[in-house]
Amino acid sequence: MPINPMSRRSLLKAGVAGFAASALPFRLARAETPVIIGAVYVGPKDDFGWNQAHAVSMEVLKKLPNVTVVEEENVPETDAVSQSMESMINLDGANLILATSFGYYKPFVVDLAKKYPNVEFRHAAPLWNKDTDPKNAGSYFPYLNQAHYVDGVAAGMSSSGKIGFVAAKPIPSVLSNINSVLLGARSVNPDATVQVIFTGEWSLPVREAEATNALVDAGVEVITCHVDSPKVVIETAEGRGVKTCGHNASQAPLAPKGFITGAEYKWETIYKSYADNIAAGEPLPNFIVGGYDTDMLRNTPYGAGATPEAVKAADEAIAALQGGMPIYKGMLKDNQGNVVVDKEYDNYDPYLDGMNWLLEGVQGSIT
């Protein structure tokens, strides 16, 4: 999911500060304004991936007082999403719409936010522009590469360091996850490598299975991925006797023998803060980004593939990230020999949003 560096550059401090201000003790039990949330998903809620991650968080919201959740799955990035969102507003009384797929934002979220100025719209990608977009719209996006760094630590400690990565497209957010896996693995195993295969699309199950098998045939010992639903990758690797790390949501049930841990979004942290603000009659922040330091990420509980040493090292990495430890620092070259990192970068530095390289140690090409 690509990121607009210029938008983030001007909004980052305000976004983090806005979230910090809103992340106060939950007040819904004594609030008066009912919270009716409409959540729209581009795929099935049980895809073991992107959509399931949001749906799991909605289950948390459903248990809160004064909150009603309305969901619709398998909604394409067409006029169909406008119809779904408008139905939630007019028939269900939704006062907060969560549009969870990248292609929902323009023109659909923007147009409906203008049409319904008393409804809040929030979109799960950092696309909101403070200069042009409606003030009742906004963006939220946790940086999952931090949890993939933890995956790399655990993978590096649970193997000899030969890691495979099945990726959809070579865009900055995907490249960041690949490179962060490598840096995590090399923090505990300097000889670790990551071999990547790009499938070209977010959901191509046949190609994902072929890529996984090719990586196993090439000798990797742990496989992870960045595709919409990791189900095929995880199941294929498990069937080949190879360990795995997950992406987006928990895939632990799919790999009872080889699952190590996985990078998960903790969307409910953001959704609770939105619901709390609406219930209290307070404005919602327009722009939220975060990671482990703002409780927006988690790693899946360790599976049978994780060694005791991996668990210890991964737990230490999580604690360090919660304290703001930077992932990209020192002198780092890409796998073409060019220096791409020559100093320490904060984990939210806009420079990293434009990542268009694979680090030395990653076997693969973005061209």
Side-chain angles (χ1 to χ4, degrees):
M1 194 169 292
I3 294 166
N4 183 332
M6 294 308 297
S7 175
R8 275 199 63 249
R9 184 184 299 273
S10 60
L11 289 167
L12 179 58
K13 291 184 179 179
V16 174
F19 177 77
S22 67
L24 300 172
F26 207 53
R27 303 185 298 272
L28 284 176
R30 61 178 184 273
E32 295 182 358
T33 303
V35 179
I36 304 174
I37 301 173
V40 191
Y41 313 124
V42 73
K45 296 195 296 181
D46 58 353
D47 67 349
F48 284 96
W50 173 260
N51 298 290
Q52 182 168 315
H54 293 280
V56 165
S57 293
M58 284 296 100
E59 292 303 311
V60 176
L61 270 290
K62 290 176 184 178
K63 298 175 182 177
L64 298 176
N66 210 42
V67 173
T68 301
V69 174
V70 181
E71 299 168 281
E72 188 167 356
E73 56 188 329
N74 296 310
V75 180
E77 295 173 328
T78 66
D79 286 340
V81 70
S82 290
Q83 296 170 13
S84 294
M85 293 188 291
E86 203 154 12
S87 174
M88 291 172 172
I89 294 167
N90 293 324
L91 299 183
D92 302 297
N95 48 15
L96 171 61
I97 296 292
L98 300 173
T100 65
S101 187
F102 184 80
Y104 288 167
Y105 191 67
K106 287 185 178 179
F108 310 113
V109 165
V110 172
D111 287 350
L112 282 187
K114 294 175 181 177
K115 184 175 180 179
Y116 296 97
N118 294 323
V119 177
E120 295 289 341
F121 294 79
R122 293 297 181 271
H123 180 252
L127 299 181
W128 182 78
N129 187 307
K130 66 182 180 67
D131 297 320
T132 61
D133 294 347
K135 302 306 179 187
N136 60 321
S139 294
Y140 59 97
F141 193 73
Y143 277 65
L144 195 63
N145 74 292
Q146 296 178 26
H148 273 291
Y149 176 89
V150 178
D151 278 3
V153 171
M157 292 293 288
S158 298
S159 68
S160 69
K162 295 180 180 179
I163 302 168
F165 200 113
V166 179
K169 300 182 179 185
I171 64 173
S173 59
V174 177
L175 299 177
S176 177
N177 287 337
I178 297 167
N179 290 327
S180 295
V181 167
L182 176 76
L183 292 176
R186 286 200 161 178
S187 73
V188 295
N189 182 348
D191 296 324
T193 59
V194 174
Q195 184 173 348
V196 61
I197 295 177
F198 291 99
T199 66
E201 292 295 339
W202 297 110
S203 180
L204 278 178
V206 173
R207 178 64 177 135
E208 290 159 13
E210 292 173 346
T212 304
N213 280 316
L215 289 169
V216 174
D217 291 342
V220 304
E221 298 170 359
V222 180
I223 289 182
T224 187
C225 63
H226 184 156
V227 294
D228 268 1
S229 174
K231 186 174 187 291
V232 168
V233 172
I234 302 299
E235 288 183 328
T236 303
E238 177 81 352
R240 295 291 303 274
V242 170
K243 294 183 177 184
T244 50
C245 290
H247 171 71
N248 279 337
S250 173
Q251 292 92 45
L254 304 176
K257 295 180 181 179
F259 192 77
I260 297 173
T261 185
E264 291 190 43
Y265 292 103
K266 193 176 179 182
W267 297 112
E268 64 262 30
T269 297
I270 300 171
Y271 296 161
K272 282 181 180 181
S273 74
Y274 286 161
D276 200 5
N277 286 12
I278 289 175
E282 298 174 354
L284 274 63
N286 292 103
F287 201 87
I288 292 177
V289 297
Y292 257 114
D293 54 324
T294 52
D295 195 33
M296 294 183 190
L297 300 174
R298 59 177 157 239
N299 274 75
T300 311
Y302 302 107
T307 64
E309 295 79 12
V311 171
K312 181 177 183 296
D315 282 346
E316 290 173 351
I318 290 171
L321 289 165
Q322 288 171 335
M325 178 197 72
I327 293 173
Y328 292 84
K329 54 192 174 183
M331 181 73 71
L332 301 175
K333 294 182 179 181
D334 66 15
N335 62 7
Q336 303 300 309
N338 305 302
V339 175
V340 290
V341 173
D342 59 0
K343 65 177 185 178
E344 181 177 292
Y345 284 93
D346 179 85
N347 288 330
Y348 307 106
D349 192 292
Y351 169 71
L352 300 176
D353 292 343
M355 191 176 295
N356 61 355
W357 32 263
L358 293 168
L359 286 174
E360 183 180 28
V362 177
Q363 301 163 7
S365 173
I366 62 176
T367 57

